Amino acid sequence: MGGLLFYDWSTLPFVILVLVLSFTIHEFAHAYSAYKLGDSTAYQFGRVSLNPMVHLDLFGTIMLLIAGFGWAKPVPVNRGNFKSPRLMGIIVTAAGPLSNLILAFITLFVIALFQKYGWLEGMSVGSAEAMQEFLSKMLSINLTLFLFNLIPIPPLDGYRIIQDLVDLRYTESLQKFEQWASVIFLLVVFVRPLRQVTLDPYLSLGGDIVRILSKPIVWILGM
């Protein structure tokens, strides 16, 4: 860790670059899928765009640098514009985390290509180290974003999926949960003993995901 930051100062430029790319694609995935399914709300707000400036949230980005997690600006979605509001709502919500999983898979594929064909050997030492650092951060951060956003606590994607899945009779119970969710979440994140037995083990599932994603890549490349 680099003092107050979750990441080392030496890797910060790579982290910022990866965050900009990953947050932008995550939010674009929400906005684009909503637009294609019949809701133009995000389009009207200029969110169906790959321009990072319309998606990044200053506080959410700062939190990721400090605590290792964060968020971008939520994409406005009017589920009333969908033919099947709950089903399409789930699809739109899931599109964000899935985009991070796809980015992680693409990154793993690129890493495998570098290993198979020895592309790093043709680079200078500095360039090779920079490429390795970028790919490493691209993989780890996107896996973290994928897992983190699936946590069923508002305003994360996992909670919005739960809202669309549960019976409407439980709406009032969910609203009561929302009042305490942010407090519980902050305790889990910043109270180290709690984080060590909850959030950290959950995020460590990224290693298992890497092993699963690597299998088709190994088969495709014949490694």
Side-chain angles (χ1 to χ4, degrees):
M1 296 177 66
L4 290 175
L5 299 182
F6 186 83
Y7 300 96
D8 294 329
W9 284 101
S10 61
T11 65
L12 198 56
F14 300 100
V15 171
I16 293 174
L17 176 59
V18 169
L19 287 179
V20 170
L21 289 172
S22 304
F23 276 155
T24 298
I25 292 175
H26 178 109
E27 298 305 326
F28 172 79
H30 284 313
Y32 181 76
S33 58
Y35 180 65
K36 296 302 288 185
L37 289 174
D39 177 31
S40 62
T41 306
Y43 179 82
Q44 293 169 0
F45 279 87
R47 300 298 298 276
V48 184
S49 169
L50 289 173
N51 177 5
M53 299 308 296
V54 304
H55 297 301
L56 295 182
D57 179 89
L58 179 60
F59 185 65
T61 303
I62 292 173
M63 285 298 293
L64 198 145
L65 295 176
I66 294 176
F69 70 89
W71 55 86
K73 293 178 182 177
V75 169
V77 176
N78 184 352
R79 284 166 167 73
N81 291 326
F82 296 142
K83 292 181 179 179
S84 301
R86 304 190 82 182
L87 174 60
M88 293 182 176
I90 291 172
I91 293 172
V92 170
T93 301
L98 284 176
S99 73
N100 295 120
L101 185 63
I102 292 171
L103 285 174
F105 178 81
I106 293 173
T107 303
L108 269 177
F109 197 91
V110 172
I111 291 173
L113 288 173
F114 271 88
Q115 293 173 343
K116 181 177 176 66
Y117 297 107
W119 291 342
L120 289 177
E121 297 174 5
M123 298 181 178
S124 65
V125 174
S127 297
E129 290 178 349
M131 180 59 69
Q132 287 177 310
E133 191 62 50
F134 170 75
L135 292 173
S136 173
K137 289 294 181 286
M138 192 72 178
L139 178 60
S140 62
I141 288 176
N142 273 287
L143 287 173
T144 297
L145 289 174
F146 169 69
L147 289 167
F148 175 76
N149 276 285
L150 290 180
I151 296 174
I153 293 180
L156 300 179
D157 294 327
Y159 181 74
R160 288 200 289 267
I161 291 174
I162 293 297
Q163 283 182 307
D164 284 321
L165 283 175
V166 301
D167 193 287
L168 294 176
R169 292 176 297 174
Y170 299 105
T171 300
E172 185 176 345
S173 298
L174 285 175
Q175 291 174 343
K176 292 179 179 179
F177 169 71
E178 289 178 15
Q179 298 174 5
W180 296 98
S182 58
V183 176
I184 295 172
F185 184 66
L186 289 174
L187 288 174
V188 168
V189 170
F190 291 108
V191 177
R192 183 168 293 275
L194 287 177
R195 176 166 179 157
Q196 288 176 338
V197 297
T198 54
L199 190 59
D200 288 346
Y202 170 67
L203 294 179
S204 70
L205 293 174
D208 296 318
I209 295 175
V210 167
R211 285 187 285 274
I212 294 171
L213 295 180
S214 295
K215 291 181 179 180
I217 295 174
V218 170
W219 179 78
I220 293 170
L221 296 180
M223 297 175 66

